[in-house]
Amino acid sequence: MPAPHIRQARSDDEQPLRLLDLETWSYQHAVSPPPEPDEAFFSERSGPADHLVAELDGAVVGYVRLGFPTPLASNSHVRQIRGLAVSDAARGNGAGRALVRAAVQEARRLGARRITLRVLGHNTAARKLYESEGFVVEGVQPEEFHLDGEYVDDVTMGQSLVGPRTVSG
């Protein structure tokens, strides 16, 4: 299978990204209720400029949302992965890894010194992906969320963007 093509999102990606969000929603990674079928994907807070998309054969199969962890100027040197999704049909072809790498590269390009993310403790596949790309666990909030009848840890991960990249691949 060909490698996914990663590009900046465009406003005309609204529909495929909205459908992707609906398809991939799960308590495995989401703390919010499922999106409404007609809910907009892009918002005032998070538009096309905040998203990178993965394409395979011209079809959008994934995205990563990159933003700030807080609105504070004192925290503006940090970027945060605020969402990552890959369609079920495209899993296993490297789209998730390519999106994480692209997010790290974009954060560097934007002058960030650090990149962080939050992941649910039971999302083992995502945690392994992030660890393999140089993210380390920086904190755990035990039983932070109650999802689908279970208490779930909130895991904070991050990496420094200062200096050379040490993850190979």
Side-chain angles (χ1 to χ4, degrees):
M1 183 170 258
H5 170 68
I6 307 299
R7 64 168 174 79
Q8 185 71 52
R10 303 181 298 250
S11 58
D12 64 344
D13 291 322
E14 170 81 30
Q15 175 75 357
L17 289 172
R18 187 172 59 78
L19 293 173
L20 179 65
D21 247 10
L22 287 169
E23 171 199 331
T24 60
W25 185 92
S26 160
Y27 281 120
Q28 181 67 22
H29 59 81
V31 297
S32 300
E36 295 295 322
D38 58 351
E39 188 175 327
F41 181 82
F42 295 126
S43 68
E44 263 183 39
R45 224 179 122 213
S46 183
D50 303 309
H51 294 80
L52 299 170
V53 298
E55 287 183 329
L56 280 173
D57 297 325
V60 172
V61 298
Y63 74 85
V64 62
R65 179 179 299 126
L66 193 61
F68 293 99
T70 73
L72 302 170
S74 60
N75 190 224
S76 65
H77 62 285
V78 179
R79 293 296 185 282
Q80 186 175 57
I81 292 177
R82 302 186 59 83
L84 174 72
V86 174
S87 73
D88 292 339
R91 294 211 176 163
N93 69 5
R97 182 173 306 282
L99 285 164
V100 171
R101 287 180 179 176
V104 169
Q105 204 172 18
E106 179 69 358
R108 270 198 176 102
R109 187 187 73 76
L110 294 169
R113 294 181 56 82
R114 287 181 32 75
I115 186 168
T116 63
L117 60 90
R118 294 169 65 180
V119 61
L120 295 174
H122 64 204
N123 194 344
T124 308
R127 289 178 63 183
K128 285 182 180 178
L129 170 62
Y130 296 135
E131 287 172 3
S132 73
E133 289 300 317
F135 286 84
V136 296
V137 173
E138 296 181 336
V140 177
Q141 294 177 311
E143 299 184 354
E144 186 70 7
F145 297 103
H146 189 254
L147 304 171
D148 202 26
E150 293 183 37
Y151 290 97
V152 181
D153 296 349
D154 185 18
V155 179
T156 304
M157 301 180 80
Q159 69 172 273
S160 174
L161 299 178
V162 179
R165 184 166 188 248
T166 57
V167 174
S168 62

